[in-house]
């Protein structure tokens, strides 16, 4: 019998699920696979509203769709190409990596992704080169332009902060080093790349503000590839010398937190990237020799004020990669799953994407991304930014006024 139809006695018969409260219904939906939740949004207006309500978003699945990344090949034109690979390692890309819905620019660099929004640096075909920042939502193909600052064309580290469960507005962070800030060479500190100022942009206020970082109090440098983690309205970034620096949405430094050190310290350019999973900050470290890091450890931050990390998991490289991969292996941990005890790694000469489930200690080799997706600069191997993407189907300030 169709919903809302009448029985023989003339009594209107409702749908049993309509008697459930929103909290109970949300809890039920949160337990089904993500693909099924997409269909749930089409059931009724009430079900659609459940997905957009801030109180329920936290409970619903947040699937990791895949990763944006770039490759470089000098024998190819263009030499640099952008890709998207699904987290499953299978099928056609779920997202068009060209972002063809954006306005036409000379070139586009994806700098960061936060809870479904991408931060892009879009270069204009002008001389000298000028740019826009663009914050976009690939799921809705909507975007807004963020005006550049006087330093934007020279800043290496720019990150995005966005928490849809708290606000529909986003924040952009520019971390400006001493040279870019304009400090005379003779007045610069002895720390190469020290951050001199933090510029922040609010999509609500639509203005940039700046916070000066004094040498006496704040002595840190942030690698170009350091991942940005934004949660609880705080930006977290891994910095050199085994630390995490945290900032509020106005660019004020909150905490400097030490991280567990990889041993021995085999690479001057190495940092312990930070990730958020299940509402907690995580990092990884490796131990062993330079040619054979014998194990990988996973840590979780238990106490901000004390900088206390707790060891969550350790796995040997032999168990993690197998005999074919473990000897002299090069690898990078590129992401944690946002809701599960799972990490994603790129390893080996062919840059194989793999996942590892901590609870059951199972590894899955997903696909080979190709030898040309790891970058080198002046003989120093640097990480390719693999940018994890989680779709966002609700509205944000990136959808325009």
């Amino acid at each position: 019998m169709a919903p809302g139809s009448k029985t023989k006695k003339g009594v209107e018969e409702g749908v049993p699920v309509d008697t459930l409260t929103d909290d109970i219904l949300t809890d039920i939906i949160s337990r089904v696979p993500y693909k099924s939740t997409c269909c749930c949004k089409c059931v009724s207006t009430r079900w659609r509203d459940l997905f957009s309500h801030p109180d329920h978003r936290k409970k619903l699945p947040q699937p990791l769709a895949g990763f944006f990344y770039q490759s470089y090949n000098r024998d190819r034109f263009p030499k640099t190409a952008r890709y998207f690979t699904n987290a499953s390692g299978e099928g056609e890309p779920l997202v068009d990596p060209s972002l063809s819905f954006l306005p036409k620019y000379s070139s586009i660099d994806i700098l960061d992704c936060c809870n479904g929004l991408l931060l892009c640096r879009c270069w204009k075909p002008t001389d000298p080169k000028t740019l826009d920042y663009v914050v976009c939502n690939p799921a809705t193909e909507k975007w807004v332009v963020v005006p550049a600052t006087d330093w934007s064309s020279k800043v290496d580290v720019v990150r995005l902060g966005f928490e849809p469960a708290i606000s529909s507005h986003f924040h952009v962070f520019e971390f400006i080093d001493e040279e870019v800030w304009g400090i005379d060479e003779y007045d610069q500190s002895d720390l190469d790349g020290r951050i001199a100022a933090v510029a922040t942009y609010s999509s609500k206020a639509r203005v940039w503000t700046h916070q000066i970082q004094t040498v006496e109090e704040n002595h840190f440098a942030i690698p170009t590839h350091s991942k940005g983690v934004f949660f609880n309205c705080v930006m977290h970034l891994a910095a050199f010398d085994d630390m995490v620096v945290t900032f509020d949405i106005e660019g004020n430094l909150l905490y400097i937190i030490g991280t567990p050190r990889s041993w021995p310290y085999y690479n001057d350019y190495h940092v312990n990237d930070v990730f958020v999973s299940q509402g907690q900050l995580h990092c990884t470290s490796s131990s062993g020799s330079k040619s054979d890091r014998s194990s990988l450890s996973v840590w979780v931050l238990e106490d901000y004020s004390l900088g206390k990390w707790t060891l969550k998991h350790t796995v040997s490289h032999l168990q993690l990669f197998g005999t074919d991969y473990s000897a002299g292996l090069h690898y990078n941990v590129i992401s944690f799953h946002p809701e599960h005890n799972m990490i994603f790694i790129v390893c080996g000469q062919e840059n194989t994407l793999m996942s590892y489930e901590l609870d059951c200690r199972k590894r899955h080799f997903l696909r080979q991304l190709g030898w040309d997706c790891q970058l080198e600069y002046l003989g120093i191997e640097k990480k390719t930014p693999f940018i994890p993407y989680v779709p966002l189907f609700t509205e944000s300030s990136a959808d325009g006024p």
Side-chain angles (χ1 to χ4, degrees), residues 102-103 105 118-120 122 124 131-136 142-148 170 172 201-203 206-208 397-401:
L102 292 181
Y105 286 95
L118 294 183
L119 171 63
C120 303
C122 302
K124 302 175 183 178
L131 62 90
D132 290 326
Y133 288 125
V134 171
V135 176
C136 67
K142 300 292 182 64
W143 50 271
V144 294
V145 173
V146 174
F170 62 81
V172 179
Y201 177 88
S202 164
S203 65
R206 299 186 184 182
V207 293
W208 286 93
S397 52
D399 290 298

Side-chain angles (χ1 to χ4, degrees), residues 5-49:
S5 61
K6 294 184 178 181
T7 64
K8 290 182 179 180
K9 297 181 179 180
V11 179
E12 188 171 308
E13 188 174 66
V15 180
V17 74
D18 289 341
T19 64
L20 300 178
T21 65
D22 286 354
D23 287 339
I24 294 176
L25 183 57
T26 301
D27 185 64
I28 294 173
I29 296 174
S30 70
R31 300 171 188 271
V32 303
Y34 175 72
K35 289 183 179 180
S36 299
T37 67
C38 293
C39 299
C40 291
K41 290 190 293 185
C42 303
V43 170
S44 67
T45 302
R46 180 197 175 198
W47 285 42
R48 183 199 63 196
D49 292 342

Side-chain angles (χ1 to χ4, degrees), residues 10 30 51 90 96 100 114 116-117 120 146 158 168 221 239 251 284 288 292 338:
S30 70
F51 284 80
E90 301 177 347
D96 177 7
S100 57
C114 188
L117 298 186
C120 303
V146 174
V158 189
S168 62
T284 62
D292 181 20

Side-chain angles (χ1 to χ4, degrees), residues 273-335:
D273 274 323
V274 289
F275 310 87
V276 65
S277 177
Q278 302 168 83
Q280 290 184 291
L281 200 69
H282 291 71
C283 76
T284 62
S285 64
S286 299
S287 62
S289 66
K290 179 177 179 179
S291 61
D292 181 20
R293 290 173 280 167
S294 60
S295 65
L296 174 69
S297 298
V298 177
W299 303 79
V300 60
L301 183 63
E302 298 285 1
D303 191 307
Y304 269 80
S305 59
L306 299 178
K308 179 183 177 182
W309 296 86
T310 298
L311 182 62
K312 183 175 182 177
H313 188 86
T314 299
V315 58
S316 71
H317 288 172
L318 182 62
Q319 182 178 357
L320 184 58
F321 301 110
T323 55
D324 293 337
Y325 284 87
S326 60
L329 182 77
H330 167 273
Y331 72 91
N332 292 322
V333 178
I334 64 170
S335 183

